[in-house]
Amino acid sequence: WENQYGDCKDKANLLCAMLRHKKVNACLALLNTENKGLIERRSPDYRQFTHAIAAVELKPGEYTFCDPTITFGRPGLLSPSDTDRDVLLIRKPFAEWARTPEQDAGTLHYDLDLQLGADGEISGWVTQHNEGYYGAAAAEEFSRLDKYATRQHAAGFVRAFFKGAEVIDVTKTP
């Protein structure tokens, strides 16, 4: 807390502790985010788990999973590598198996409102709107960028469509 930094285990444990402090039943959930995320259930070993998230028990046996490493995520939003995975819930006095739900990654939407001038110049606006995990990831990425870096990022995107294009201005919205 003092360093304002932590890995997935730190953030998931902190979230669980804060929720339990408010009388919300939450526990650590361990999973494997690599490949198909398969875990040998008969003899689980800490080396099989690559990620930790929080499991909030809504009613007995029904969970909402929260990944506190997704900065702009809402409860229940998972990254594609967290979805449809076996998870080991670390509960007192025992551990329990559960599964994260299937979930798509969201949408990426780009709107190009462009005009072609008589001299061949293209002008107009490019608008990016993302939802779900893609939206949370973009919000985190752009939150770290100042106006200059945002313009450079946008220029790279626009140049993928129009070689040599220049981006004059950018506006960030929540």
Side-chain angles (χ1 to χ4, degrees):
W1 183 259
E2 286 179 20
N3 294 331
Q4 297 293 300
Y5 173 80
D7 65 7
C8 63
K9 296 176 295 303
D10 299 323
K11 291 179 179 185
N13 273 305
L14 179 60
L15 176 60
C16 289
M18 293 168 77
L19 289 168
R20 286 192 303 264
H21 179 74
K22 290 294 187 178
K23 308 292 187 240
V24 175
N25 192 9
C27 65
L28 192 66
L30 304 175
L31 65 150
N32 182 339
T33 59
E34 297 172 354
N35 303 314
K36 293 188 178 195
L38 301 176
I39 301 292
E40 176 53 60
R41 283 184 171 213
R42 293 174 296 170
S43 58
D45 182 278
Y46 72 93
R47 292 171 289 194
Q48 293 177 301
F49 301 103
T50 60
H51 193 43
I53 59 177
V56 179
E57 191 168 26
L58 305 174
K59 55 185 176 183
E62 185 178 313
Y63 299 93
T64 291
F65 295 94
C66 303
D67 187 340
T69 64
I70 303 173
T71 303
F72 290 91
R74 57 171 169 63
L77 180 69
L78 298 173
S79 73
S81 61
D82 291 352
T83 63
D84 198 23
R85 305 287 173 140
D86 285 335
V87 294
L88 183 61
L89 304 178
I90 308 302
R91 302 179 53 171
K92 289 183 181 179
F94 55 88
E96 169 186 338
W97 288 103
R99 191 159 183 91
T100 58
E102 288 187 45
Q103 193 176 97
D104 68 30
T107 60
L108 299 170
H109 181 80
Y110 301 98
D111 182 25
L112 286 74
D113 182 13
L114 306 171
Q115 294 82 38
L116 178 62
D119 61 354
E121 180 179 280
I122 297 174
S123 63
W125 289 95
V126 175
T127 304
Q128 176 181 346
H129 178 78
N130 305 332
E131 294 180 349
Y133 175 75
Y134 291 141
E140 180 174 13
E141 180 179 5
F142 281 104
S143 73
R144 297 177 182 170
L145 303 177
D146 63 14
K147 188 159 182 147
Y148 175 78
T150 301
R151 191 171 68 234
Q152 293 299 104
H153 182 81
F157 170 78
V158 171
R159 286 186 192 121
F161 292 99
F162 305 103
K163 202 173 205 168
E166 291 183 44
V167 173
I168 306 301
D169 195 15
V170 294
T171 304
K172 292 195 291 188
T173 58

